[in-house]
Amino acid sequence: MTDLQELCENVKMGREYALLGNYDTAVVYYQGVLQQIQKHLVSLKDVSKRNMWQQVRQEFSQEYEHVKGISNTLASFRSDGSYPQSNRPSRGAAYEEPTRDPDVWPPPTPAENQGRPAPNYGGNRRNVQPARDRPGVRDVKPSGPDRRGVAARPAGNRGGAVGRSSDDKYSAKRPADRVKKVEKGRASSPKRQQGSEDEPKFDATGYDKDLVEALERDIIQRHPNIHWGDIAGLEEAKKLLQEAVILPLIMPDFFKGIRRPWKGILMVGPPGTGKTLLAKAVATECKTTFFNVSSSSLSSKYRGESEKLVRLLFEMARFYAPSTIFIDEIDSIGSKRGTGDEHETSRRVKAELLIQMDGVGGVSGGEDATKMVMVLAATNFPWDIDEALKRRLEKRIYIPLPDAPARESLLKINLKEVEIADDVNLKLIADKLEGYSGADLTNVCRDASLMSMRRRIADLKPDQIRALPKAELHMPVTAEDFQDASKKVSKSVSAEDLKKYEAWMNEFGST
Ligand code: ADP
């Protein structure tokens, strides 16, 4: 049922784009619909239903041919004659051509075309200004390899009359000029790192304003303000991350060729062990711009906008480079979990993510290290990660439960601002809490520090509570409080889970 809803939605989108004269995009939707119908047909046993669907397919494919015909005709009008029609890697053509990676849909611009004039994917798309306020009919510039192509295009050879105005603005600024702006900002003004008003701001011209705002608001965290010292234990992981992110920035010449920085790093481990904290510390300590996205929000929050969001995310990351893109719950992208509808969205998100990750590649190819975009992903379910994504997350590190010394240091970090009674022996408490995750330990501390207050206000009425002197509430936390709290908070990770992580790391890990 959900598949059918998705199908209807795609039909609607395809037709809307076609009506708006946005043929290239319409073609992509049409192809998706035909694929979906084909899939549906294969699953049908009832002959009469099959016949009916075959007829639908035939009718729709005629419509598709018609739209494709218009799209091709328009393409042949473009004055950018350097691109023979047969070679033009439009999104439509990409559908029929062999892909570089079977998991990628649609595929990136073939490598051999990257230095050549850019394919004008959305030439007519940009020319016809679709009603931006209409839901679902928003326009975001194409990204990744094709965008690099746009920048590489010589000034005198930019498109034709079609799609000229906004495209020109775009190619004049992207990506070289914008990156230069960042470098200038960094070199001349150390304020950039202090979040000053002068900080270069991503120019949203030509992009979907809502999406840019959503990214600026929800996803970019300029100064996460988590330092290595705020994270207990995990020395090995910290060292590795430092090596992966800081060293290439310090010694870009060394990290070239075979020593190129990792495209992506995957942190694997039970929930609540500090993976997010590590990512934030990387951004803080390495002074990279931090993009914090959760995969589930990518696949659901911005429904229908998800691939655009991914493209924009990387585009902005390149602009604010060096950047760290942290993707939490990466397993939910392209995984087999979720409904058909969710699956379809996340499949498209995954495809875009693969394309973009192929485009980042650290500072390889003699690029400037300050342009580094590092993808840092985290998962509690590594076994759900799809093969293609796993391949791109080249370095896989284990983030284990804290050992006894790490537990003690975690208790200390959490209790920094809390007064502790003399009878409390944190080492003893840490020893007893074996198997607790960092998040479990934080909960124990929180609970213990609330115990004395709870005791004090028991049986009091709100008025009496309000009248209590502050000092009476701020009683030191006692050993008994810790004991009570650890009884209330139980371990969230089982021994079985741990075995699963270890087995996965033995097979796929790289530490
Ligand atoms: P994950 O991303 O691995 O699920 P988080 O990094 O979000 O876990 O950690 C959740 C919370 O648990 C943190 O906000 C912090 O309070 C606590 N925590 C977990 N691990 C650590 C650690 N190693 N050091 C300090 N606090 C930790």
Side-chain angles (χ1 to χ4, degrees), residues 28 33 73 106 115 198 243 271 317 384-385 456 461:
V28 178
V33 169
T73 311
D198 301 349
E243 187 186 296
D384 280 341
I385 294 184
R456 185 65 191 84
K461 300 204 170 71

PDB file of all heavy atoms in Angstrom, residues 28 33 73 106 115 198 243 271 317 384-385 456 461:
ATOM      1  N   VAL A  28      13.466  11.880 -14.393  1.00  0.00           N
ATOM      2  CA  VAL A  28      13.951  11.056 -13.277  1.00  0.00           C
ATOM      3  C   VAL A  28      12.771  10.425 -12.546  1.00  0.00           C
ATOM      4  O   VAL A  28      12.779   9.239 -12.211  1.00  0.00           O
ATOM      5  CB  VAL A  28      14.800  11.901 -12.297  1.00  0.00           C
ATOM      6  CG1 VAL A  28      15.262  11.070 -11.127  1.00  0.00           C
ATOM      7  CG2 VAL A  28      15.990  12.500 -13.014  1.00  0.00           C
ATOM      8  N   VAL A  33       9.110   5.742 -11.481  1.00  0.00           N
ATOM      9  CA  VAL A  33       7.766   5.163 -11.498  1.00  0.00           C
ATOM     10  C   VAL A  33       7.768   3.876 -12.320  1.00  0.00           C
ATOM     11  O   VAL A  33       7.228   2.846 -11.902  1.00  0.00           O
ATOM     12  CB  VAL A  33       6.754   6.179 -12.090  1.00  0.00           C
ATOM     13  CG1 VAL A  33       5.427   5.505 -12.365  1.00  0.00           C
ATOM     14  CG2 VAL A  33       6.580   7.348 -11.143  1.00  0.00           C
ATOM     15  N   THR A  73      15.122  17.098 -27.110  1.00  0.00           N
ATOM     16  CA  THR A  73      15.073  18.161 -28.112  1.00  0.00           C
ATOM     17  C   THR A  73      15.630  19.458 -27.530  1.00  0.00           C
ATOM     18  O   THR A  73      16.445  20.141 -28.155  1.00  0.00           O
ATOM     19  CB  THR A  73      13.608  18.403 -28.566  1.00  0.00           C
ATOM     20  OG1 THR A  73      13.054  17.147 -28.888  1.00  0.00           O
ATOM     21  CG2 THR A  73      13.536  19.328 -29.748  1.00  0.00           C
ATOM     22  N   PRO A 106      20.861   7.788  -8.805  1.00  0.00           N
ATOM     23  CA  PRO A 106      21.507   7.660 -10.102  1.00  0.00           C
ATOM     24  C   PRO A 106      23.018   7.799  -9.946  1.00  0.00           C
ATOM     25  O   PRO A 106      23.462   8.315  -8.928  1.00  0.00           O
ATOM     26  CB  PRO A 106      20.950   8.850 -10.862  1.00  0.00           C
ATOM     27  CG  PRO A 106      20.699   9.861  -9.794  1.00  0.00           C
ATOM     28  CD  PRO A 106      20.338   9.112  -8.546  1.00  0.00           C
ATOM     29  N   GLY A 115      36.465  16.680 -16.039  1.00  0.00           N
ATOM     30  CA  GLY A 115      37.210  17.882 -16.383  1.00  0.00           C
ATOM     31  C   GLY A 115      36.569  18.631 -17.537  1.00  0.00           C
ATOM     32  O   GLY A 115      36.972  19.711 -17.904  1.00  0.00           O
ATOM     33  N   ASP A 198      31.858  38.414  11.430  1.00  0.00           N
ATOM     34  CA  ASP A 198      32.531  38.452  10.133  1.00  0.00           C
ATOM     35  C   ASP A 198      32.620  37.075   9.486  1.00  0.00           C
ATOM     36  O   ASP A 198      33.075  36.939   8.376  1.00  0.00           O
ATOM     37  CB  ASP A 198      33.987  38.938  10.288  1.00  0.00           C
ATOM     38  CG  ASP A 198      34.047  40.301  10.903  1.00  0.00           C
ATOM     39  OD1 ASP A 198      32.983  40.922  10.994  1.00  0.00           O
ATOM     40  OD2 ASP A 198      35.149  40.714  11.305  1.00  0.00           O
ATOM     41  N   GLU A 243      44.730  11.513  14.660  1.00  0.00           N
ATOM     42  CA  GLU A 243      45.621  11.193  13.542  1.00  0.00           C
ATOM     43  C   GLU A 243      44.892  11.370  12.208  1.00  0.00           C
ATOM     44  O   GLU A 243      45.430  11.900  11.248  1.00  0.00           O
ATOM     45  CB  GLU A 243      46.087   9.751  13.696  1.00  0.00           C
ATOM     46  CG  GLU A 243      47.133   9.346  12.709  1.00  0.00           C
ATOM     47  CD  GLU A 243      47.430   7.868  12.834  1.00  0.00           C
ATOM     48  OE1 GLU A 243      47.925   7.457  13.912  1.00  0.00           O
ATOM     49  OE2 GLU A 243      47.147   7.133  11.878  1.00  0.00           O
ATOM     50  N   PRO A 271      25.223   1.607  22.413  1.00  0.00           N
ATOM     51  CA  PRO A 271      24.726   2.974  22.605  1.00  0.00           C
ATOM     52  C   PRO A 271      25.277   3.600  23.877  1.00  0.00           C
ATOM     53  O   PRO A 271      25.582   2.901  24.840  1.00  0.00           O
ATOM     54  CB  PRO A 271      23.203   2.787  22.724  1.00  0.00           C
ATOM     55  CG  PRO A 271      22.986   1.345  22.984  1.00  0.00           C
ATOM     56  CD  PRO A 271      24.143   0.604  22.424  1.00  0.00           C
ATOM     57  N   ALA A 317      29.385  21.881   3.510  1.00  0.00           N
ATOM     58  CA  ALA A 317      30.587  21.384   4.197  1.00  0.00           C
ATOM     59  C   ALA A 317      31.831  21.791   3.423  1.00  0.00           C
ATOM     60  O   ALA A 317      32.854  22.166   3.998  1.00  0.00           O
ATOM     61  CB  ALA A 317      30.520  19.869   4.338  1.00  0.00           C
ATOM     62  N   ASP A 384      23.762  -3.940  10.193  1.00  0.00           N
ATOM     63  CA  ASP A 384      22.712  -3.473   9.277  1.00  0.00           C
ATOM     64  C   ASP A 384      23.271  -2.564   8.190  1.00  0.00           C
ATOM     65  O   ASP A 384      22.527  -2.104   7.334  1.00  0.00           O
ATOM     66  CB  ASP A 384      21.647  -2.678  10.048  1.00  0.00           C
ATOM     67  CG  ASP A 384      20.671  -3.600  10.746  1.00  0.00           C
ATOM     68  OD1 ASP A 384      20.604  -4.777  10.356  1.00  0.00           O
ATOM     69  OD2 ASP A 384      19.995  -3.149  11.682  1.00  0.00           O
ATOM     70  N   ILE A 385      24.561  -2.248   8.276  1.00  0.00           N
ATOM     71  CA  ILE A 385      25.087  -1.289   7.300  1.00  0.00           C
ATOM     72  C   ILE A 385      25.299  -1.966   5.965  1.00  0.00           C
ATOM     73  O   ILE A 385      25.861  -3.055   5.873  1.00  0.00           O
ATOM     74  CB  ILE A 385      26.409  -0.672   7.774  1.00  0.00           C
ATOM     75  CG1 ILE A 385      26.118   0.160   9.003  1.00  0.00           C
ATOM     76  CG2 ILE A 385      27.008   0.228   6.695  1.00  0.00           C
ATOM     77  CD1 ILE A 385      27.305   0.882   9.509  1.00  0.00           C
ATOM     78  N   ARG A 456      14.665  15.337  51.051  1.00  0.00           N
ATOM     79  CA  ARG A 456      14.328  16.556  51.785  1.00  0.00           C
ATOM     80  C   ARG A 456      12.907  17.047  51.471  1.00  0.00           C
ATOM     81  O   ARG A 456      12.211  17.564  52.342  1.00  0.00           O
ATOM     82  CB  ARG A 456      15.360  17.659  51.425  1.00  0.00           C
ATOM     83  CG  ARG A 456      15.222  18.942  52.195  1.00  0.00           C
ATOM     84  CD  ARG A 456      15.509  18.723  53.674  1.00  0.00           C
ATOM     85  NE  ARG A 456      15.124  19.881  54.488  1.00  0.00           N
ATOM     86  CZ  ARG A 456      13.901  20.117  54.952  1.00  0.00           C
ATOM     87  NH1 ARG A 456      12.918  19.279  54.684  1.00  0.00           N
ATOM     88  NH2 ARG A 456      13.652  21.189  55.695  1.00  0.00           N
ATOM     89  N   LYS A 461       4.555  20.183  50.816  1.00  0.00           N
ATOM     90  CA  LYS A 461       3.660  20.778  49.809  1.00  0.00           C
ATOM     91  C   LYS A 461       4.461  21.785  48.964  1.00  0.00           C
ATOM     92  O   LYS A 461       5.499  22.266  49.423  1.00  0.00           O
ATOM     93  CB  LYS A 461       2.523  21.510  50.519  1.00  0.00           C
ATOM     94  CG  LYS A 461       1.697  20.583  51.398  1.00  0.00           C
ATOM     95  CD  LYS A 461       0.295  21.167  51.599  1.00  0.00           C
ATOM     96  CE  LYS A 461      -0.620  20.165  52.261  1.00  0.00           C
ATOM     97  NZ  LYS A 461      -0.272  19.931  53.689  1.00  0.00           N
TER      98      LYS A 461
END
